[in-house]
Amino acid sequence: MKVSDTIAALLAENRKFAPPQEFAAKAFFNDPSVYDRAAADPVAYWEEWARKLDWFEPWTKPLEWNPPFAKWFVGGKINACHNCVDRHVAAGAGAATAIVWEGEPGDVRSLTYEELQCEVARAANALKALGVGKGDRVCVYMPMVPELAITMLACARIGAAHSVVFGGFSAESLEERIQDAGAKVVVTADGGWRRGAIVPLKKAVDEALELGCPTVEKVLVLRRAGEPGTVTNGLATPEYDRGSWVEGRDVWWHDLVPGQSAQCPCEPMDSEDLLFILYTSGSTGKPKGIVHTTGGYLTGVSATFRYVFDIQPEDLYWCTADCGWITGHSYVVYGPLANRAHVLMYEGAPDTPDKDRFWRIIERHKATILYTAPTAIRAFMKWGTEYPERCDLSSLRLLGTVGEPINPEAWVWYHQHIGGGRCPIVDTWWQTETGQIMISPLPGLTETKPGSATRPLPGVSIGIYNDLGEDLYAEHIRRVQAGEATDSVGGYLVLTQPWPAMLRGIYGDPERFKRTYWSRFPGAYFTGDGAKVDEEGYVWLLGRVDDIMLVAGHNISTMEVESALVDHPAVAEAAVIGKAHELKGQAIAAFVILKAGYQGGPEIVDELKAHVAKKIGAIARPDDVIVCADLPKTRSGKIMRRLLRDVAEGRALGDTTTLADPNVVNALKDKYESAG
Ligand code: PRX
């Protein structure tokens, strides 16, 4: 039987995967009563978790909820870095490994908790020397190297907020984020390794600052790539653009940090003080600076890390996300380190030097937990089983996925070929805004169904609302429990109770915060996702229902790409949609109308793709750019994206009766088919 037939058979069976007995026996949560206990008093449940952290001063009130504004652990004083580093050293675990890191050239570094403490304290003192103090914002634009985590923790240590910008974003995107946060210092590197080349990070910082970032006083630059020709583990750094050096502004990390004292006290922060800002795409095109504060965030991520990944002292945990995304914040740095976990970090691409790189890393370091994205799993599937089969993956005991819905076929493949059929899979649903995992199996407890994130975690309350704002979830679950449910119900996914790691706002824009998340269904947080719940009460995420695309798991708004396109002198109008894509989940398709005097053709198509990549970053480069004479619009002038999706996905056109000119879309379909 072919693998695909096996998979089809499994799916047809609607098979469920119970936690292996041996796994369940040792698991942190293996008694389902935790759900009821947490539901009876969610605030007390979260308080229990908050008590496991070190507080300089206790809180006086666990929650102050003035919808949509929440304050958790009011009056408490805490420091996130102290909880992730110092308290473990103080407890005698200084010699335990905190971070094992592998660079793309294969170079390896390992830091114990004690070493991490020294490095973080030195970096914190260096930031102080550059004028950074409590309440300031620091922009971090670095490759996935230990210094990225060190910088985040150093900021937390002195009470400065970090704003990490993913190294794949363009200079213009970086500039927009630096400006919005009013960052005083930028921490970057000369470059980072990616697919055997160097990503010129410092060059992009130079460009961003030339565009105008008046608040930036200093740029701290780590030497990672070095001069071209520098040899790292036998690989010579290729040529790359190193940018320019601005005297008085730019400071080398190695000139400043190592000479600093390794003593630096952790600043006592208010539970509600800003810990970080992280930008995510918004449907207006302008990114939203999502605000996370200290005590609640740390409680939410340390608790969920503990039980979703069932972390044990001997585990080596690897989350493949870059720290430029929320997954890297919550489940590479804060959640794992708060739990004194051993964290594996990797700098580069999964197919360098070969498509077995991830499996080689697991074999080499004996990783026990792997947390990655469906888009990566689909790529591995396409590359074939020969790559994982070359490596010993027997150290693995738990697998996780995040970022987008996982198709059952990819789930089953992951389970069989990576997990050897023995590792539970946690499909974790959450968002930059939620800060922490919200819907996920508990690996020692939950019977999983491939493709379903199963059910909300203890202490988390969800709703599935219809267009009228009526909740279908609670009643459906009642029917499931009473054995009366025979069908599934679907609608908009909302969160109905505050949770500790929830976003506290959009940086500098409380109105947008209210409008974006809290106006669609008053009193509830609207996630922007569709979901259904089946006859057994399992939750299935159905993707975004707004103008945000999920391209390889990354949020990109259609509006953001449209603005980048109309910024090009040749473009009069643009409409962008996410179309289904076998590997990336969604790919970007753009329909553009050119201004008079410009000709369609392959040159302009390539130029427009490159223009979008330059404006936003390579992750936003459209797969298709279709030059057209007209766009399908309603009589009131609204572009009908639904029809554009039909065209791009090669489907029969849906209802076209509301179009001002139905011929437009037929012409477009012909054009698309001839181009494709
Ligand atoms: O649509 C959901 C999808 O990713 C969105 C959040 O994206 P971001 O803020 O970048 O955070 C990603 C990492 C937490 C969600 O609104 N999403 C995330 N996880 C899942 C998912 N969709 C389905 N299943 C998931 N497990």
Side-chain angles (χ1 to χ4, degrees):
M1 207 198 250
K2 288 205 314 258
V3 172
S4 54
D5 296 339
T6 321
I7 290 170
L10 289 179
L11 293 181
E13 252 181 70
N14 195 13
R15 205 167 125 170
K16 283 201 254 179
F17 293 79
Q21 257 176 11
E22 204 193 333
F23 189 104
K26 287 193 241 150
F28 183 80
F29 274 142
N30 46 22
D31 175 355
S33 67
V34 59
Y35 287 103
D36 288 342
R37 188 164 58 77
D41 191 347
V43 176
Y45 171 79
W46 291 118
E47 253 189 310
E48 236 176 75
W49 280 99
R51 278 196 209 98
K52 297 184 202 289
L53 298 171
D54 250 12
W55 294 78
F56 300 132
E57 278 176 43
W59 57 93
T60 51
K61 207 174 164 192
L63 171 67
E64 213 173 271
W65 179 222
N66 297 311
F69 299 102
K71 288 184 179 168
W72 281 88
F73 312 117
V74 183
K77 296 275 185 280
I78 188 167
N79 183 285
C81 179
H82 168 83
N83 275 281
C84 290
V85 182
D86 298 67
R87 69 167 170 150
H88 307 320
V89 178
T97 305
I99 296 174
V100 183
W101 169 85
E102 186 168 316
E104 195 181 80
D107 42 337
V108 169
R109 275 169 64 195
S110 158
L111 287 161
T112 64
Y113 273 95
E114 197 159 16
E115 287 163 343
L116 182 62
Q117 185 182 37
C118 292
E119 297 283 325
V120 169
R122 289 199 180 99
N125 282 325
L127 289 173
K128 282 187 184 170
L130 296 177
V132 177
K134 185 171 173 173
D136 287 334
R137 275 85 54 218
V138 173
C139 175
V140 186
Y141 185 67
M142 296 180 91
M144 251 324 248
V145 291
E147 283 79 4
L148 170 49
I150 289 169
T151 303
M152 292 164 72
L153 292 164
C155 289
R157 193 171 189 90
I158 62 174
H162 51 75
S163 162
V164 184
V165 177
F166 173 58
F169 278 115
S170 68
E172 285 187 39
S173 294
L174 176 64
E175 182 241 1
E176 191 175 18
R177 287 158 175 76
I178 294 173
Q179 296 257 33
D180 189 78
K184 197 168 187 180
V185 164
V186 179
V187 184
T188 187
D190 49 2
W193 286 86
R194 181 94 194 160
R195 288 215 168 83
I198 302 298
V199 182
L201 296 167
K202 173 60 166 57
K203 166 75 171 35
V205 171
D206 289 347
E207 273 179 36
L209 298 194
E210 269 161 35
L211 290 167
C213 295
T215 53
V216 174
E217 294 170 10
K218 298 283 180 189
V219 178
L220 183 60
V221 189
L222 178 79
R223 188 152 65 202
R224 163 60 186 148
E227 307 273 314
T230 308
V231 176
T232 308
N233 200 38
L235 272 187
T237 299
E239 280 297 333
Y240 69 104
D241 192 337
R242 279 167 292 151
S244 50
W245 193 259
V246 179
E247 284 305 330
R249 185 196 74 183
D250 299 348
V251 183
W252 280 113
W253 180 287
H254 57 263
D255 285 341
L256 183 68
V257 180
Q260 300 292 318
S261 157
Q263 302 296 319
C264 176
C266 291
E267 195 69 39
M269 303 300 287
D270 190 88
S271 177
E272 280 302 330
D273 275 338
L274 181 60
L275 179 62
F276 66 85
I277 305 168
L278 183 60
Y279 287 85
T280 186
S281 288
S283 30
T284 62
K286 183 178 164 3
K288 303 174 293 213
I290 302 303
V291 167
H292 283 290
T293 60
T294 312
Y297 173 79
L298 205 61
T299 300
V301 300
S302 60
T304 50
F305 179 75
R306 178 72 188 85
Y307 46 79
V308 172
F309 297 103
D310 185 49
I311 199 78
Q312 306 286 346
E314 57 282 2
D315 278 318
L316 179 65
Y317 160 88
W318 183 23
C319 166
T320 65
D322 189 283
C323 286
W325 310 111
I326 191 67
T327 308
H329 284 62
S330 301
Y331 299 106
V332 175
V333 179
Y334 291 109
L337 296 179
N339 279 281
R340 200 210 281 168
H342 312 310
V343 176
L344 181 59
M345 265 174 96
Y346 169 58
E347 176 186 32
D351 53 356
T352 307
D354 202 355
K355 296 188 175 73
D356 59 2
R357 186 60 187 270
F358 274 21
W359 323 125
R360 296 255 171 243
I361 291 174
I362 289 171
E363 177 180 71
R364 180 176 187 185
H365 302 282
K366 302 200 169 26
T368 60
I369 302 175
L370 174 67
Y371 188 32
T372 194
T375 186
I377 299 166
R378 288 190 294 263
F380 301 143
M381 257 177 96
K382 186 170 175 209
W383 295 341
T385 52
E386 63 192 89
Y387 297 101
E389 277 163 8
R390 282 179 194 168
C391 300
D392 177 7
L393 302 181
S394 62
S395 56
L396 287 172
R397 64 178 202 94
L398 177 65
L399 303 174
T401 79
V402 58
E404 50 181 320
I406 181 162
N407 42 316
E409 198 189 352
W411 193 106
V412 170
W413 188 91
Y414 193 34
H415 187 259
Q416 287 191 330
H417 296 287
I418 306 306
R422 73 184 176 277
C423 305
I425 297 182
V426 287
D427 173 358
T428 63
W429 177 90
W430 57 296
Q431 306 179 302
T432 304
E433 291 88 341
T434 69
Q436 63 179 75
I437 297 171
M438 303 296 278
I439 305 178
S440 163
L442 289 174
L445 206 50
T446 315
E447 255 193 296
T448 49
K449 289 189 190 181
S452 164
T454 72
R455 62 180 289 188
L457 288 178
V460 170
S461 301
I462 69 166
I464 293 181
Y465 285 9
N466 63 16
D467 277 315
L468 302 174
E470 295 160 338
D471 183 27
L472 311 174
Y473 183 74
E475 168 59 12
H476 186 80
I477 294 296
R478 190 201 60 72
R479 288 173 55 225
V480 169
Q481 283 165 355
E484 294 163 11
T486 51
D487 55 354
S488 62
V489 295
Y492 304 103
L493 178 67
V494 301
L495 300 166
T496 53
Q497 293 291 331
W499 64 100
M502 68 193 281
L503 77 167
R504 300 302 195 263
I506 294 177
Y507 193 68
D509 202 344
E511 285 313 310
R512 190 177 181 198
F513 171 59
K514 289 188 209 161
R515 203 171 54 240
T516 309
Y517 303 107
W518 303 91
S519 65
R520 175 79 195 259
F521 303 114
Y525 168 89
F526 178 39
T527 63
D529 280 10
K532 70 170 191 178
V533 50
D534 71 15
E535 70 289 350
E536 292 183 301
Y538 282 70
V539 177
W540 300 75
L541 279 308
L542 303 175
R544 306 282 317 184
V545 294
D546 56 12
D547 295 335
I548 309 277
M549 299 171 285
L550 283 174
V551 180
H554 302 313
N555 285 3
I556 300 171
S557 90
T558 53
M559 188 83 100
E560 196 174 8
V561 180
E562 286 165 7
S563 321
L565 284 166
V566 295
D567 173 79
H568 189 281
V571 176
E573 198 174 354
V576 166
I577 52 126
K579 65 165 195 173
H581 186 276
E582 196 195 345
L583 293 183
K584 296 193 269 192
Q586 282 190 307
I588 301 175
F591 296 82
V592 297
I593 302 177
L594 297 181
K595 286 183 188 153
Y598 288 92
Q599 288 295 319
E603 295 82 34
I604 191 82
V605 164
D606 288 346
E607 195 177 316
L608 292 178
K609 288 182 183 176
H611 187 71
V612 174
K614 179 165 186 317
K615 295 288 288 183
I616 304 173
I619 51 171
R621 179 191 296 270
D623 273 26
D624 305 327
V625 171
I626 303 299
V627 175
C628 48
D630 236 326
L631 289 166
K633 289 185 184 162
T634 60
R635 268 157 243 154
S636 61
K638 215 171 152 280
I639 295 171
M640 291 193 69
R641 289 163 199 284
R642 174 173 60 75
L643 293 177
L644 293 177
R645 265 192 294 272
D646 289 343
V647 169
E649 291 174 358
R651 262 193 311 270
L653 295 174
D655 183 6
T656 56
T657 49
T658 53
L659 280 178
D661 178 1
N663 293 324
V664 168
V665 69
N666 288 318
L668 210 57
K669 198 167 159 54
D670 293 344
K671 174 116 201 197
Y672 201 95
E673 280 160 9
S674 62

